[in-house]
Amino acid sequence: MARLPLHPDIETELITEEAIKQRVAELGAELKRVYGNEELTFISVMNGAILFTADLLRQIDNPVRLDCIRISSYGNATESHGTPKLVHSLMLDVTGRHVLLVDDILDTGKTLSLVAGMIRGLQPASMRVCVLLDKKGRRQVPFEADFVGFKIPDKFVVGYGLDYAERYRNLPSIGVLKAERQKLPG
Ligand code: IMP
Ligand code: MG
């Protein structure tokens, strides 16, 4: 497969496209071990988790329902500003369903605690959480995911769905953004 040259705004590539593909396949196998042939309701946290969710879904042959939820927490900064807010809620019912909550990255934990709390209140048959990345050192509220793609250090990363000011989501690998690029673009 032809590889694009590293984007000029990326300081270091942390996780290559190939490593992501391999790990997503392994996560699919883990899901299969846990759920067998049960139907799953995926809830993807927009926008960051969209690419990861799309690839993970295709690693399992279970019957699957898909919904998205939108949370605002970052705006255009690399640091979370206060309390995340729900800006777009679920369309599917999740009561009595096996729910898999999918996000791109677990950072302070605030976003996923909010969403997980909300979903638990809807009384699913089960709820588990799958994140592609875990920045464990940054947690401000206690929260652990059931399935984790990669543990990463406390660096601001972009690519494969993750953005800075809505840019770089389309990069095929995950990398650390150059410090001089971590300013709000015009
Ligand atoms: P938390 O509420 O602090 O755990 O934040 C989780 C959300 O913050 C994720 O869904 C991402 O959208 C965003 N986020 C956290 N760290 C990064 C990063 O390094 N790059 C891009 N987005 C990030
Ligand atoms: Mg996000």
Side-chain angles (χ1 to χ4, degrees), residues 45-49 71 73-74 103-105 111 161-163 169:
V45 183
M46 290 194 285
N47 293 328
I71 306 291
S73 56
Y74 266 84
D103 206 356
D104 52 359
I105 185 164
T111 304
L162 291 118
D163 73 305
R169 292 195 197 274

Side-chain angles (χ1 to χ4, degrees), residues 45-49 73-74 78 80 84 103-112 133 135 138-139 152 155-158 162-164 169:
V45 183
M46 290 194 285
N47 293 328
S73 56
Y74 266 84
T78 54
S80 175
D103 206 356
D104 52 359
I105 185 164
L106 179 51
D107 186 31
T108 65
K110 289 181 188 173
T111 304
L112 282 172
L133 306 175
K135 271 194 213 169
R138 293 252 315 158
R139 216 70 95 240
I152 62 162
K155 302 263 192 209
F156 194 81
V157 293
V158 294
L162 291 118
D163 73 305
Y164 172 69
R169 292 195 197 274

Side-chain angles (χ1 to χ4, degrees), residues 58-85:
R58 285 175 289 176
Q59 294 299 322
I60 60 169
D61 56 6
N62 301 47
V64 156
R65 301 158 84 230
L66 172 64
D67 204 350
C68 293
I69 198 164
R70 187 187 283 273
I71 306 291
S72 73
S73 56
Y74 266 84
N76 275 353
T78 54
E79 287 294 318
S80 175
H81 52 77
T83 317
K85 277 197 284 289

Side-chain angles (χ1 to χ4, degrees), residues 51-186:
L51 280 74
F52 175 43
T53 306
D55 286 342
L56 187 60
L57 275 175
R58 285 175 289 176
Q59 294 299 322
I60 60 169
D61 56 6
N62 301 47
V64 156
R65 301 158 84 230
L66 172 64
D67 204 350
C68 293
I69 198 164
R70 187 187 283 273
I71 306 291
S72 73
S73 56
Y74 266 84
N76 275 353
T78 54
E79 287 294 318
S80 175
H81 52 77
T83 317
K85 277 197 284 289
L86 183 71
V87 290
H88 188 288
S89 195
L90 297 173
M91 300 297 289
L92 297 183
D93 67 284
V94 297
T95 307
R97 308 285 185 161
H98 294 293
V99 171
L100 185 71
L101 183 55
V102 183
D103 206 356
D104 52 359
I105 185 164
L106 179 51
D107 186 31
T108 65
K110 289 181 188 173
T111 304
L112 282 172
S113 327
L114 173 83
V115 180
M118 195 205 85
I119 292 169
R120 248 183 239 112
L122 299 170
Q123 298 179 310
S126 70
M127 190 201 61
R128 291 187 177 87
V129 177
C130 178
V131 293
L132 179 67
L133 306 175
D134 186 358
K135 271 194 213 169
K136 223 169 159 48
R138 293 252 315 158
R139 216 70 95 240
Q140 288 176 23
V141 295
F143 194 93
E144 295 307 321
D146 301 277
F147 308 94
V148 174
F150 302 91
K151 292 194 173 120
I152 62 162
D154 177 13
K155 302 263 192 209
F156 194 81
V157 293
V158 294
Y160 194 65
L162 291 118
D163 73 305
Y164 172 69
E166 291 306 321
R167 310 237 169 113
Y168 311 108
R169 292 195 197 274
N170 58 322
L171 304 189
S173 62
I174 293 170
V176 179
L177 191 61
K178 282 183 181 164
E180 68 261 31
R181 289 290 162 195
Q182 292 187 30
K183 296 185 210 105
L184 300 183

